[in-house]
Amino acid sequence: MAVSSVETNAEAMCPHRLVLEHVTSRWGVLVLIALLDRSYRFSELRREIGGFGRGVSEKMLTQTLQTLERDGFVHRDAKPVIPPRVDYSLTDLGREAAEQVRRLAVWTETRMGAVQEAREGYDARKRASEQE
Amino acid sequence: MAVSSVETNAEAMCPHRLVLEHVTSRWGVLVLIALLDRSYRFSELRREIGGFGRGVSEKMLTQTLQTLERDGFVHRDAKPVIPPRVDYSLTDLGREAAEQVRRLAVWTETRMGAVQEAREGYDARKRASEQE
DNA sequence: CGGCATCCACACAGATACTG
DNA sequence: CAGTATCTGTGTGGATGCCG
């Protein structure tokens, strides 16, 4: 069973581009950054990531974690207890990736002002040309 | 008109997370990296990105470029000639982002071996547990 | 609790056809 | 050439039910 059909189709692509897509995927980014702080349990992680606005669905988080685990970025520690307890953490490989991703995220935050400004200019120019 | 409805819905999110999604989006990543080398024309960029496997659809490239332009990462230079000629290049802001993204892409390439290894282990363990 | 399987709705990606 | 408009397949994600 393939993780998802989009990947099955893309199996012919250069493999590193696929890994890059996993790391930069919508939820992959957030999972990696969260796990950089500490290990998380499944539901904990879900709350952390979806702490505001829209959250991850259970299905998407599962899928994201499985993909990242398969690529060797995330370690899954399932403890055979009742009730079940599963902890997710970064591997060394995953930590390297996560640090790069976090750097990008931090940069984004510091540059938000410039982005906002650019958007206002863009929108203004667009409005002006529409009602000429 | 919003760029896309997913963004309209996410308008309530922390804005920097949206920008991060633009930068790390499927085609955004590739566009930024390509433009780091030099400026490209529309079709040129399309060929460069889809040079193998699957490419970008015209629509998605348009959409990606418009989003990145609005965020102030990409500069669009449309020359009023026949036939039309439009050149895309990075702004200073976009160059900063693109360099981060490229670093991540390069890291991914150098680490492909480890990822492949991790995957084989994962798949082997999975097969073993399935047919127990 | 931490999943997996299924169904369903819908947004999005992509192909196609068309325009300035 | 560089788009826009439109249509359709598919991926995404919610809801639900079930299991270890």
Side-chain angles (χ1 to χ4, degrees):
Chain A
M1 171 195 69
V3 174
S4 79
S5 64
V6 65
E7 311 220 342
T8 307
N9 294 342
E11 208 78 31
M13 283 174 58
C14 294
H16 72 265
R17 212 179 266 205
L18 273 181
V19 177
L20 187 59
E21 281 189 21
H22 296 167
V23 170
T24 62
S25 72
R26 180 156 193 199
W27 305 117
V29 168
L30 301 175
V31 166
L32 289 173
I33 292 175
L35 289 180
L36 213 44
D37 281 336
R38 62 178 179 90
S39 75
Y40 277 89
R41 299 180 60 179
F42 186 86
S43 303
E44 228 180 6
L45 195 53
R46 201 174 161 212
R47 278 189 298 275
E48 172 67 20
I49 287 177
F52 54 94
R54 300 169 59 194
V56 219
S57 69
E58 186 187 299
K59 196 173 59 173
M60 283 298 101
L61 183 56
T62 299
Q63 189 176 311
T64 301
L65 285 169
Q66 284 174 352
T67 302
L68 293 177
E69 187 196 354
R70 189 170 106 97
D71 286 349
F73 295 137
V74 163
H75 175 67
R76 180 176 184 274
D77 183 20
K79 288 169 177 92
V81 296
I82 306 275
R85 180 189 177 94
V86 182
D87 287 292
Y88 290 94
S89 55
L90 290 177
T91 62
D92 289 346
L93 188 64
R95 183 162 296 275
E96 291 180 41
E99 273 161 4
Q100 310 255 2
V101 171
R102 182 175 57 179
R103 218 167 297 157
L104 188 60
V106 169
W107 176 87
T108 300
E109 267 184 83
T110 66
R111 285 303 210 159
M112 265 312 292
V115 170
Q116 286 284 36
E117 205 175 317
R119 281 183 184 169
E120 281 159 24
Y122 180 91
D123 292 344
R125 258 173 278 127
K126 186 154 215 173
R127 270 194 307 275
S129 66
E130 272 171 1
Q131 52 158 195
E132 62 197 356
Chain B
M1 174 191 67
V3 174
S4 78
S5 63
V6 64
E7 310 219 343
T8 307
N9 295 339
E11 208 80 30
M13 284 173 59
C14 297
H16 71 265
R17 211 178 268 203
L18 273 180
V19 177
L20 187 60
E21 282 189 22
H22 296 168
V23 171
T24 63
S25 73
R26 182 160 193 191
W27 305 117
V29 168
L30 302 176
V31 166
L32 289 174
I33 292 175
L35 290 180
L36 212 44
D37 282 336
R38 62 178 180 88
S39 75
Y40 278 89
R41 299 179 60 179
F42 185 85
S43 304
E44 227 180 7
L45 195 53
R46 196 170 166 216
R47 278 189 299 273
E48 171 69 19
I49 287 177
F52 54 93
R54 301 169 56 198
V56 219
S57 70
E58 202 178 289
K59 191 177 70 170
M60 282 299 100
L61 183 56
T62 299
Q63 191 176 312
T64 301
L65 285 169
Q66 284 174 353
T67 301
L68 291 177
E69 188 196 354
R70 191 171 104 97
D71 285 349
F73 294 136
V74 164
H75 174 68
R76 181 175 182 274
D77 183 20
K79 292 171 173 86
V81 296
I82 305 276
R85 178 188 178 95
V86 182
D87 287 292
Y88 290 94
S89 55
L90 290 178
T91 61
D92 290 345
L93 187 64
R95 183 161 295 275
E96 291 179 42
E99 272 160 5
Q100 310 254 1
V101 171
R102 183 174 58 180
R103 219 168 296 157
L104 187 61
V106 169
W107 175 88
T108 301
E109 268 184 84
T110 66
R111 285 304 211 158
M112 264 313 291
V115 170
Q116 285 285 38
E117 206 175 315
R119 281 183 184 169
E120 280 159 25
Y122 181 90
D123 292 345
R125 256 173 279 128
K126 187 152 214 172
R127 271 194 307 275
S129 66
E130 271 173 1
Q131 52 159 192
E132 62 196 359

